[in-house]
Amino acid sequence: MTSTMIVHLLIACGLLGLASCASQNRFVLGGNHGDYATVKQSAIVERSSCPERNGRFPDPVQCDAYVECIDGIPEDKLCPEGLVFNPEAKFNYPCGYPIDVDCQGRPNRQPAQANDICPHQYGYFKVGDNRSCGQFVNCADGRGHIFDCPEGLAFNSATYRCDWPDQVPDCDAEAFLGFRCPDELKSSDLREGIHLYRSHVDCQRFYVCVNGRPRLQNCGKGRAFNEEINACDDVANVTSCPSPNLLGKKTTQLTEISTHGVPLNEYGHIATNN
């Protein structure tokens, strides 16, 4: 088994649960290939010393560099580009994702080896802008695998997880979901608590307004949101549902005229003047 195959297995184990949430993916080639840990380039001219006879030790200024000592003989090494050295790894693979490692006092990193799809050779990165938050790319050895978060969720770069869009700082939840909670919920009396609103695109879906911010929910197959009881119900009981044959289709495949006075475009997103 090659070293590149080893790093793929080790990295994949850390976030297998995240990737499994994806509803679909596509494979994109690009970038360079390299060993899982290479001898460090001449960032430090003076040869490192060994604090202990055996072990791995962090570089004093560079977070993705470390010294590996075997029988008192030091060797400067670099993590694959995009990963950083984790001093807590001990006997495990020494390189991890930046969100899992404290790089305080070691701010330097090797230059990024970006390509058309991957900003770094390894890592998880958001795809799209603040209005399109539902995709992320998993980069391994410069190869990008693009995944979709479950419907209504946005990728959070700070946690490498799919999260409610209102909890993701760089996501415009209203633009992403195509829904804006009523203005009256902005008042201090109504802001607290949970408020439900049926989607005018698809009876199967509805929005939960939490502290004045929207979250998309789905009643499930054969069910629809019943405004009379303010809950999901058997679709046969929801007489106000205009198109029961549309149940189960994605919101973005349909067209909504407006949501509480906010006009939407043909993709079900809030229209802008741009």
Side-chain angles (χ1 to χ4, degrees):
M1 182 178 292
T2 66
S3 58
T4 300
M5 294 175 65
I6 293 173
V7 71
H8 287 175
L9 292 173
L10 291 168
I11 296 303
C13 291
L15 284 174
L16 184 58
L18 173 60
S20 66
C21 77
S23 59
Q24 64 179 5
N25 70 85
R26 59 182 182 272
F27 184 72
V28 185
L29 291 176
N32 302 319
H33 302 267
D35 294 334
Y36 72 92
T38 58
V39 176
K40 194 176 75 172
Q41 299 171 349
S42 56
I44 298 179
V45 177
E46 184 178 350
R47 187 168 179 80
S48 303
S49 59
C50 290
E52 298 177 17
R53 184 172 177 81
N54 293 289
R56 302 186 187 106
F57 309 95
D59 184 279
V61 295
Q62 187 166 336
C63 197
D64 56 2
Y66 62 99
V67 179
E68 184 171 54
C69 294
I70 300 177
D71 294 331
I73 300 175
E75 183 178 14
D76 292 332
K77 290 191 173 184
L78 276 175
C79 290
E81 196 277 312
L83 304 180
V84 293
F85 175 66
N86 185 358
E88 305 300 323
K90 302 302 181 184
F91 302 105
N92 298 323
Y93 181 67
C95 301
Y97 294 111
I99 66 166
D100 298 322
V101 179
D102 182 5
C103 285
Q104 186 174 2
R106 299 182 293 138
N108 298 338
R109 292 173 63 178
Q110 61 187 291
Q113 300 174 33
N115 57 46
D116 290 342
I117 190 68
C118 291
H120 295 277
Q121 291 288 293
Y122 285 86
Y124 285 78
F125 309 98
K126 175 185 173 182
V127 175
D129 56 21
N130 66 340
R131 297 172 56 88
S132 179
C133 317
Q135 288 188 320
F136 62 95
V137 57
N138 171 22
C139 294
D141 200 19
R143 300 179 181 183
H145 305 260
I146 295 180
F147 295 93
D148 291 322
C149 286
E151 183 186 38
L153 299 185
F155 180 69
N156 192 332
S157 300
T159 62
Y160 289 0
R161 295 179 182 274
C162 293
D163 205 347
W164 298 116
D166 61 282
Q167 299 297 306
V168 179
D170 60 352
C171 182
D172 184 336
E174 287 76 13
F176 172 54
L177 297 178
F179 180 86
R180 188 181 303 278
C181 294
D183 289 339
E184 56 263 28
L185 294 185
K186 296 179 181 179
S187 68
S188 58
D189 294 336
L190 295 177
R191 187 174 180 85
E192 298 297 329
I194 297 176
H195 306 269
L196 309 181
Y197 300 92
R198 194 190 80 186
S199 169
H200 293 279
V201 172
D202 184 347
C203 300
Q204 184 176 319
R205 292 167 174 81
F206 63 99
Y207 296 94
V208 180
C209 288
V210 180
N211 295 326
R213 305 298 304 281
R215 297 178 181 180
L216 179 64
Q217 298 280 2
N218 193 317
C219 288
K221 185 177 180 180
R223 296 175 65 79
F225 186 77
N226 191 333
E227 292 180 293
E228 294 182 2
I229 62 174
N230 209 35
C232 292
D233 198 358
D234 188 282
V235 66
N237 298 328
V238 185
T239 57
S240 61
C241 186
S243 303
N245 60 308
L246 295 177
L247 295 182
K249 293 188 177 181
K250 281 190 174 182
T251 305
T252 52
Q253 294 175 325
L254 307 174
T255 302
E256 183 165 13
I257 298 175
S258 66
T259 301
H260 292 283
V262 180
L264 303 183
N265 61 24
E266 59 182 325
Y267 302 106
H269 292 165
I270 294 176
T272 65
N273 295 325
N274 296 331

